[in-house]
Every structure is written in C-alpha cells, then in structure tokens.
Amino acid sequence: MRIAVLLATLAAGLLTPALSEASSLTLETSHLIVSDNTGNLSDERLRELADHAQETLKKALAFWSTDFRMRQFGKIRVIFDPPRKRDYYASFFVASWDKKEGRRVRIVRVFGAERSPLQMAHKLTSAVFPHKDQLIRNIMGVPAEEQVGNRLSFPGCGFSSDDWVLAFVKANTVIPVKELGPDGESWGHPIGADGLPYVSDRAKYTKAYAEAGSFGSYLIRTYGVSKIKQFYHHSLQKERPWQDIFGVDLQELEANWLKTLKANEAVSERNVSTALGLFEKDPNTACAAAQKVVTGNP
C-alpha cells in the first residue's frame, strides 16, 4: 500500500539495523525500534520515551482489540526528531521499503521530545492499520488519540473533535465528508518535497481533521470497533464501502452524525463557544490557544 514514501536518502538512514540494547542512538521494546534523531536525548530520556511509546501502542491495540501484525510488517520504527518549527510538536506515519528485509516497514516520526509527545496514539494506530486513504486513517487515528493518547493533541487540542465540529456547525462552515479526498490536497495538508505533509490551508486542515475524528468517534459509538475494523479491511479492496458495511450510504451516515452531535450540544456548549471564538479569531493559532485554555497556561 502506497501511503507515503520517504525520500530514498532519508529512508536509507532510517533503516539501518538497530541495536538490541539501549544506547545513545537506538533501543528496542517488544514491538518498537526507537531511535533519537535529535542528537540531544540522554539514554534515560530515550528509555522514558520508548516506554511511553510502547505503553501507548499497548493501549491502542487494546482499544482496537487487535494484534500487532509482527510477522507481516515487523516492528514499528519510532524516530524522535526536533520540532519541525519552534515548539511545534506533532507525529507523522510513513511507510517505506526496506530492501534488506524485502518488505514495507512502518515508521512513526515524532517531532518534539522534551514534553509528552503529541499524536502518538493516532499515528501508531495508522501504523497498525496502514491505508492509502487519509480519511480512513484519520477516522481511526483521531478517536484513538482522544481515547488513549494525549488530549492536547491536534485536532482536539484539549477539547474534543466533537466540540470543534459543533463550532463549525454554528458557523455553517462544515466541509462535507465526501469532499475529504484520499490524499492530503483536499485537507489543506499536501506532501512536501521531504516526503512529509505540510499545512497549506490551516482553516481547512483543522476542519478536515476535526471532522474525521468526530465522524470516526460517531461510527465507533454507533456501530462498534469490530464494524470499523471490518470497514477498514473491506476498504483495502473497495473504495470506502459505506453501504456495504454500515447498511446506509455516506449521505445518511453524515446526516445522522451531525444530528447526534446537535442533540448533545448542550453538554459541551462552553467548549463549543470557546472553540468557535478561537478559530474565528485566528485558525493559525486556535489549537495552541485551546491548549492554553485547557492547561491554564498563559
């Protein structure tokens, strides 16, 4: 599956054989190969991060009631990098071909390591369920982050994806799910020359990810985890088989999702109003502002 491919020179550097014990460069857990690409992490901090990543993966596997697929893909490579921009924490999932092993390998790159990583549960879920369709990756990844990961992670940023979508409903700016294509272009999040996505349209990017997360959470609550996994496996053979798996088409699923959100709006009215105000003030800073509201940091 062609999800995203690192540049050849980068992939060659990432896919060197790993050490079996902790070092200043690389260590292994039962499911992960963890390495420091910052050049600044102590052995102790790398061990802490590796333990945290392993525990996060364990929680994600339990959430999805699934196994690790070790035989098919091998261990997940988790690479800790410096923040891409000043104090910008995020994680990305990529897949690349390991010529030595003769198979595709799963790589989660985590940008920022001084604080607790963001989006790790999301991207580890993408590594467990790799898919070329960005919508399917995110309707599974965002709910996993909200349930077992760091609640400050994008797109919730301390609130929930439901809160943000209700804010967009209030502003009448919700993007129809059918317009969220399989690649990042329609999400305001295309792939750059370095093989990693970048934000080209912050407002669209925020709406798209929040909607995918909220829609995915609705599907999980309504149909259950087993049904979502069934949808995932069928989607590897047939493009977005909504009707086949859920018994209704996308239009009806979307209408039911938004109807359910509106029915529960009063429960999170304060968060919705705050989210809308932050987004309308500046979509470029809305996530960071929301994180500050939730943590109480100025």
Side-chain angles (χ1 to χ4, degrees):
M1 292 168 286
R2 296 181 179 178
I3 301 166
V5 181
L6 293 173
L7 295 178
T9 53
L10 177 60
L14 292 177
L15 300 177
T16 44
L19 303 177
S20 60
E21 297 181 359
S23 75
S24 59
L25 294 176
T26 304
L27 60 84
E28 292 195 32
T29 72
S30 56
H31 295 86
L32 307 172
I33 299 174
V34 183
S35 58
D36 170 26
N37 205 33
T38 72
N40 297 318
L41 297 179
S42 66
D43 286 0
E44 181 181 3
R45 180 56 178 158
L46 188 60
R47 290 190 195 97
E48 291 173 351
L49 291 167
D51 288 344
H52 174 69
Q54 178 64 45
E55 182 62 21
T56 300
L57 176 61
K58 180 180 177 182
K59 291 177 180 178
L61 293 173
F63 176 76
W64 288 110
S65 300
T66 191
D67 61 26
F68 185 66
R69 304 167 77 187
M70 177 82 78
R71 181 174 296 180
Q72 182 178 1
F73 291 111
K75 293 185 177 183
I76 296 172
R77 322 293 175 92
V78 177
I79 316 293
F80 285 93
D81 287 288
R84 295 183 77 191
K85 298 179 182 177
R86 184 179 64 86
D87 206 34
Y88 177 74
Y89 279 49
S91 300
F92 298 96
F93 167 67
V94 293
S96 187
W97 186 260
D98 187 332
K99 292 182 179 178
K100 182 177 180 180
E101 295 187 17
R103 63 181 173 185
R104 200 169 292 279
V105 296
R106 303 170 291 181
I107 303 168
V108 173
R109 297 188 64 184
V110 183
F111 292 84
E114 274 117 35
R115 302 193 305 268
S116 182
L118 298 178
Q119 296 178 288
M120 183 178 282
H122 179 164
K123 302 308 178 181
L124 287 171
T125 293
S126 295
V128 173
F129 297 100
H131 203 290
K132 64 182 180 181
D133 190 325
Q134 184 153 313
L135 177 62
I136 294 172
R137 293 200 306 274
N138 287 307
I139 65 175
M140 299 182 75
V142 176
E145 186 70 42
E146 293 188 345
Q147 292 297 316
V148 303
N150 187 335
R151 71 182 188 128
L152 296 179
S153 293
F154 176 83
C157 307
F159 297 153
S160 72
S161 52
D162 288 349
D163 294 333
W164 290 100
V165 173
L166 280 169
F168 305 142
V169 168
K170 274 192 168 185
N172 197 30
T173 59
V174 173
I175 301 171
V177 174
K178 67 180 180 180
E179 294 182 11
L180 301 178
D183 57 49
E185 290 290 343
S186 60
W187 297 60
H189 202 212
I191 300 297
D194 61 354
L196 293 172
Y198 68 96
V199 178
S200 61
D201 185 328
R202 179 69 61 173
K204 181 182 288 186
Y205 167 68
T206 300
K207 291 177 186 177
Y209 275 82
E211 289 179 28
S214 177
F215 187 49
S217 293
Y218 164 77
L219 293 175
I220 292 168
R221 290 192 301 265
T222 304
Y223 297 95
V225 164
S226 294
K227 205 67 158 177
I228 306 306
K229 290 190 294 185
Q230 185 181 357
F231 176 77
Y232 166 80
H233 289 296
H234 276 69
S235 70
L236 296 174
Q237 306 298 325
K238 181 178 180 180
E239 182 179 346
R240 299 183 180 180
W242 308 110
Q243 182 82 45
D244 295 348
I245 303 304
F246 301 113
V248 294
D249 61 18
L250 176 59
Q251 184 177 1
E252 186 170 348
L253 283 172
E254 185 170 10
N256 291 339
W257 159 53
L258 294 174
K259 181 180 178 180
T260 301
L261 282 185
K262 292 173 187 176
N264 297 318
E265 181 176 3
V267 177
S268 56
E269 183 176 355
R270 182 176 179 182
N271 284 353
V272 172
S273 296
T274 301
L276 180 58
L278 295 175
F279 188 83
E280 290 185 334
K281 181 178 180 180
D282 187 352
N284 293 298
T285 60
C287 181
Q291 291 168 336
K292 291 178 181 178
V293 168
V294 171
T295 60
N297 292 329

